[in-house]
């Protein structure tokens, strides 16, 4: 498709969605290795990689956080004062392209204890909707939690 012809790279019909090896049915389980657990007062760094063949939309409910690095490039450097972490407001979405990496940082000191839901949607390149929309277990959505205890 590099010379303009359509070779079907936009045709992607996945049937399985995993986060760190967990299928979407087990991700929200309290014993899941995907669930983040932090003590109140801890600072947490989450490294994310979109290893899918589609765009991934992520929404972390109820918390502010910062992106401190993207694709291995740190935004914080004392020798470059014009750089800085990119802050996300409560409810703001993250969009990760294929193979893109983000490092997210948040401080739990001023946060309420509880579970904060994290939604992932694998987005169709053309339709801009979650893959397999409305197809139950094959729908391109997953949920996990960040627990502050």
């Amino acid at each position: 498709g590099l010379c303009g012809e359509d070779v079907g790279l936009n045709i992607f019909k996945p049937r399985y969605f995993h986060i760190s090896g967990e299928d979407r049915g087990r991700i929200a389980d309290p014993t899941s290795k995907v669930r983040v657990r932090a003590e109140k007062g801890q600072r947490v760094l989450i490294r994310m990689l979109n290893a899918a063949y589609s765009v991934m939309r992520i929404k972390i409910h109820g918390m502010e956080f910062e992106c401190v690095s993207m694709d291995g490039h740190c935004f914080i450097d004392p020798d470059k004062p014009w750089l800085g972490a990119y802050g996300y407001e409560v409810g703001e979405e993250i969009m990760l392209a294929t193979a893109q990496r983000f490092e997210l940082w948040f401080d739990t000191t001023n946060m309420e204890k509880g579970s904060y839901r994290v939604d992932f949607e694998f987005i169709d390149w053309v339709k801009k909707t979650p893959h397999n929309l409305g197809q139950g277990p094959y729908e391109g959505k997953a949920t996990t939690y960040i627990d502050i205890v």
Side-chain angles (χ1 to χ4, degrees), residues 62-134:
M63 68 168 47
E64 295 177 347
F65 53 92
E66 296 179 318
C67 180
V68 295
S69 175
M70 182 188 306
D71 293 331
H73 300 282
C74 185
F75 296 151
I76 302 169
D77 185 339
D79 296 328
K80 299 176 183 174
W82 59 87
L83 286 178
Y86 179 82
Y88 283 85
E89 300 294 325
V90 173
E92 194 172 350
E93 297 176 341
I94 302 168
M95 298 293 282
L96 262 69
T98 299
Q100 193 169 27
R101 297 165 291 155
F102 272 30
E103 289 187 347
L104 303 179
W105 171 268
F106 60 94
D107 187 342
T108 65
T109 302
N110 297 318
M111 295 175 61
E112 296 291 325
K113 291 183 179 182
S115 293
Y116 295 83
R117 194 174 85 225
V118 183
D119 294 323
F120 300 87
E121 293 181 313
F122 296 94
I123 305 299
D124 185 287
W125 286 98
V126 177
K127 298 176 189 172
K128 307 295 186 230
T129 58
H131 278 289
N132 307 336
L133 191 60

Side-chain angles (χ1 to χ4, degrees), residues 10 13 29 31 49 60 64 74 96 101 104 117 134 138:
N10 62 319
K13 298 181 181 178
D29 184 313
T31 63
L49 160 69
I60 302 175
E64 295 177 347
C74 185
L96 262 69
R101 297 165 291 155
L104 303 179
R117 194 174 85 225
Y138 300 116

